[in-house]
Amino acid sequence: MWILLITLGLASASLEATPQYPLWPNVFTQTFNETLYYPEFGNQTTTGTYYYDWTNQMYRIDRANGRFDRYCGLVGFRVLTNAPCSHIVVGGNRFLYYPNDGTCCFCCNAAQGCGMLKPTWLDNATFIDTEVHMGVQAYKWNKQGLQNNFYFETAVASPSSRVMLGIYQEPNDLMDFHKITYSVPSGIFDLPKTCSLKTVCPEISTCTAVRNASN
Ligand SMILES: *[C@@H]1O[C@H](CO)[C@@H](O)[C@H](O)[C@H]1NC(C)=O
Ligand SMILES: *[C@@H]1O[C@H](CO)[C@@H](O)[C@H](O)[C@H]1NC(C)=O
Ligand SMILES: *[C@@H]1O[C@H](CO)[C@@H](O)[C@H](O)[C@H]1NC(C)=O
């Protein structure tokens, strides 16, 4: 009897349909809130906006406070400074921009691993389950990298009708996404005048470590 029950349990589990892989829209804007955990600082929260335009190969992430972002927060003298910060990726080049004082530096490029995510970046992700996430019925996936990267989206059959709800990069970066808009504000990717490939981020920075790692 036990064996029969176990066998049936396995059979029904394997019959649970795996949804098609997630697929990002080519163009979207979504606000988010984020919690970053560091043993020495505890949980730090901020808010931001994600602008994505695959058609024109550009994206931008604004954070109200970039201090605890692993790129924005570790750029030479800026270590541990509370300040808004943006990643702006245009033409395969990533810049870090600090709107409070207008400074900007070139961080790294696509060849160094700093390009943009493709709409299909979640192909081959492992489907975990359907569960309630932030009060919404959600598909949970894991896109394994060096660590688990959990991805949550609305549980809808058609990938193109789903909306991203969250990205949790273990062990310490949790992002929850809000309502989606299928457009980007005009001019949002215009590089501030202070951004130049000649103004490279300081020697002591995550950017430099990333550039060096690819050489
Ligand atoms: C985002 O905000 C909601 C509502 O305040 C909260 O429940 C959630 O934990 C936050 N998510 C993160 C990753 O901070
Ligand atoms: C930090 O936030 C995470 C996720 O919300 C939570 O699981 C953890 O208990 C929090 N840690 C501390 C020290 O507050
Ligand atoms: C998914 O797996 C297929 C087959 O192994 C591979 O060709 C493809 O590049 C993979 N896609 C991604 C995004 O990893």
Side-chain angles (χ1 to χ4, degrees):
M1 189 57 191
W2 271 112
I3 290 167
L4 178 62
L5 282 176
I6 290 164
T7 308
L8 287 173
L10 286 176
S12 70
S14 63
L15 284 176
E16 192 183 333
T18 297
Q20 284 176 265
Y21 295 125
L23 178 68
W24 273 9
N26 281 335
V27 179
F28 68 87
T29 300
Q30 258 184 297
T31 56
F32 62 84
N33 60 339
E34 180 177 38
T35 297
L36 289 153
Y37 176 76
Y38 294 95
E40 57 278 50
F41 302 110
N43 277 342
Q44 300 291 333
T45 63
T46 190
T47 56
T49 308
Y50 203 109
Y51 305 96
Y52 181 83
D53 184 346
W54 176 251
T55 309
N56 293 300
Q57 297 285 298
M58 299 171 184
Y59 87 98
R60 171 173 176 153
I61 307 174
D62 292 352
R63 284 184 174 81
N65 185 0
R67 174 175 170 183
F68 295 98
D69 173 57
R70 67 178 81 83
Y71 287 83
C72 292
L74 190 67
V75 178
F77 61 92
R78 289 188 180 278
V79 175
L80 306 187
T81 302
N82 286 310
C85 177
S86 302
H87 292 225
I88 307 177
V89 179
V90 173
N93 296 313
R94 177 174 307 233
F95 295 90
L96 301 183
Y97 174 60
Y98 299 84
N100 273 8
D101 60 9
T103 56
C104 185
C105 61
F106 166 64
C107 181
C108 43
N109 64 28
Q112 293 156 341
C114 288
M116 64 190 293
L117 293 168
K118 294 179 185 161
T120 54
W121 70 276
L122 285 143
D123 276 6
N124 304 336
T126 304
F127 178 64
I128 308 287
D129 62 12
T130 304
E131 60 183 66
V132 175
H133 182 76
M134 304 289 292
V136 177
Q137 199 67 19
Y139 291 147
K140 179 178 182 180
W141 302 83
N142 181 15
K143 180 72 180 182
Q144 188 87 39
L146 293 178
Q147 77 290 324
N148 289 324
N149 296 297
F150 293 111
Y151 181 85
F152 297 85
E153 60 179 352
T154 52
V156 177
S158 165
S160 58
S161 301
R162 299 180 201 150
V163 175
M164 169 166 64
L165 297 170
I167 299 179
Y168 288 7
Q169 299 178 69
E170 285 192 333
N172 74 335
D173 185 355
L174 283 64
M175 297 170 96
D176 284 318
F177 289 86
H178 309 136
K179 195 170 162 293
I180 194 167
T181 307
Y182 295 98
S183 62
V184 287
S186 86
I188 194 72
F189 302 113
D190 293 352
L191 276 180
K193 289 191 174 57
T194 46
C195 297
S196 156
L197 288 175
K198 291 186 197 120
T199 309
V200 179
C201 293
E203 193 57 32
I204 300 169
S205 66
T206 302
C207 297
T208 301
V210 168
R211 287 197 311 276
N212 290 346
S214 72
N215 291 336

